[in-house]
Amino acid sequence: MKAAIIRATGGPEVLELTEVPTPEPQPGQVRVRIRASAINPIDTYIRSGMVALSLPLPAILGCDFAGEVDAVGEGVTQFQVGQRVWGSNQGLAGRSGTLCEYACIGTEWVYPTPDAIRDRDMAALALVGITAHLGLFACANLQPGETVFVNGGTGGVGSMVVQMAKAAGAAVITSVGSSEKAKLARELGADEVILYKEENIYQGVASRTGGKGVSVWYETQREPDLLQTVPVMQPRGRIILMAGRQSQATLPVGPFYVKNLAILGFAMFNFTAQEQRLCADQIQTWIREGKLKALVGLELPLEQAAEGHRVQEANSMQKAGTLSGKIVIIP
């Protein structure tokens, strides 16, 4: 089968397309014919060596997948050959990556794909959807009637936060970089949109909430400004941090504890398969109800996986702002 592999960590150029043996499913696994994968910032961190993992080189990267079951291993009864499936969390902890034509995946990480969605969109939803759900509900315990702010409402995680918070009965404020993205954010369900190039985000949040602030601040940026975030939080508000590995943010301790605030940091990969399945179940329900859709900003063939990594790095590391939604790779 064809696969995009790395033989050593480095720049996007270390990704190479090659032929590797098609894997056979072990007990408790299914072999998935990958119809779509997606590129996430974590993939570029692993490829570059920024996140040091013990990879069995050469390694196939890629967390997300959507496709159909091609074969089943011993003991697998919950999935059948030909069934459409999706998932994430691959390419980590010894699990097979998904920038390839076939991958053998443990059934604990595999979910049935709703009929209402295409494979490319399901792959685009996978990691960012589970991440958004964990932050909003497992961490922030979002309740109907609360107000959520998320930076980057047309980005991968941000677009999921907007839609999920709205589906859960919250009011949603977001920030974007252009009038075109503002229109898209409103179509996704945002009640208020701040054009951050024209208006200060924190002043915008304060004015749009009548000075009351927000219940949940979902921070997607790599350099959170807690000095400005804390003043626009409601009492008992929750600040969600899930980016910025090298960030050293300053916390205004007095205003923070006087408001009974909480900061909740999390990494999706620290949650168990059972915890993540709860997210997947809700995601599937919202897809069937038409409350959740994917944003695909760029679609590339497997042969151009390195280009996908370049675009992802430009947007997540250099803040190029050229991408709305996800980069999807089609084997």
Side-chain angles (χ1 to χ4, degrees):
M1 70 172 185
K2 293 180 181 178
I5 68 168
I6 62 169
R7 302 183 189 277
T9 57
E13 67 278 0
V14 302
L15 274 165
E16 62 175 278
L17 187 69
T18 189
E19 288 283 339
V20 300
T22 301
E24 293 296 327
Q26 300 302 303
Q29 292 184 332
V30 294
R31 185 170 67 198
V32 178
R33 171 66 169 97
I34 306 295
R35 297 298 183 183
S37 182
I39 294 175
N40 298 282
I42 185 64
D43 301 319
T44 68
Y45 303 158
I46 294 170
R47 186 219 70 235
S48 68
M50 181 186 298
V51 173
L53 295 182
S54 179
L55 293 175
L57 298 172
I60 301 172
L61 302 184
C63 295
D64 299 330
F65 68 91
E68 69 266 0
V69 175
D70 172 73
V72 299
E74 181 183 345
V76 174
T77 58
Q78 64 270 56
F79 294 102
Q80 293 77 45
V81 171
Q83 183 176 357
R84 295 177 65 220
V85 293
W86 70 282
S88 188
N89 280 270
Q90 302 310 299
L92 304 161
R95 295 188 288 271
S96 172
T98 58
L99 287 179
C100 54
E101 293 180 308
Y102 296 91
C104 290
I105 301 169
T107 55
E108 67 271 26
W109 301 108
V110 180
Y111 320 118
T113 301
D115 293 336
I117 190 168
R118 294 181 295 175
D119 288 331
R120 70 154 209 165
D121 294 334
M122 197 68 252
L125 269 168
L127 182 145
V128 293
I130 294 171
T131 298
H133 195 282
L134 288 169
L136 284 174
F137 304 106
C139 294
N141 191 28
L142 179 67
Q143 299 298 308
E146 292 190 313
T147 302
V148 175
F149 172 80
V150 59
N151 265 312
T154 60
V157 173
S159 63
M160 292 294 105
V161 171
V162 169
Q163 295 177 83
M164 290 182 182
K166 195 66 180 177
V172 182
I173 305 171
T174 191
S175 64
V176 297
S178 69
S179 56
E180 292 80 9
K181 289 183 179 181
K183 181 177 183 292
L184 177 56
R186 291 189 180 95
E187 291 172 354
L188 294 174
D191 297 288
E192 299 284 350
V193 181
I194 299 167
L195 293 170
Y196 66 81
K197 294 180 181 178
E198 301 176 9
E199 180 181 7
N200 178 276
I201 288 175
Y202 307 94
Q203 293 174 1
V205 169
S207 66
R208 284 162 176 78
T209 59
K212 295 179 180 178
V214 297
S215 317
V216 175
W217 183 287
Y218 200 120
E219 186 57 81
T220 61
Q221 301 303 300
R222 300 177 68 246
E223 295 293 338
D225 189 339
L226 299 179
L227 286 173
Q228 295 197 75
T229 301
V230 167
V232 295
M233 297 299 299
Q234 292 182 15
R236 298 183 182 271
R238 291 85 74 200
I239 300 169
I240 304 300
L241 301 180
M242 40 69 70
R245 287 173 179 264
Q246 278 73 50
S247 176
Q248 297 288 325
T250 300
L251 176 67
V253 175
F256 177 82
Y257 80 76
V258 167
K259 284 188 174 183
N260 283 24
L261 300 181
I263 293 177
L264 300 144
F266 81 97
M268 168 186 167
F269 310 108
N270 291 332
F271 285 81
T272 67
Q274 183 177 6
E275 289 171 320
Q276 294 195 38
R277 185 169 293 277
L278 296 175
C279 305
D281 290 344
Q282 182 66 75
I283 287 169
Q284 290 160 191
T285 297
W286 279 333
I287 290 172
R288 295 187 188 100
E289 294 174 348
K291 296 179 179 179
L292 198 61
K293 67 178 182 180
L295 286 187
V296 176
L298 180 63
E299 184 176 315
L300 295 170
L302 184 60
E303 291 81 358
Q304 295 183 37
E307 175 61 19
H309 271 238
R310 290 188 186 96
V311 174
Q312 182 64 67
E313 279 189 336
N315 281 269
S316 59
M317 301 292 286
Q318 285 85 46
K319 300 182 179 179
T322 59
L323 188 66
S324 288
K326 296 292 297 176
I327 302 168
V328 174
I329 301 296
I330 307 296

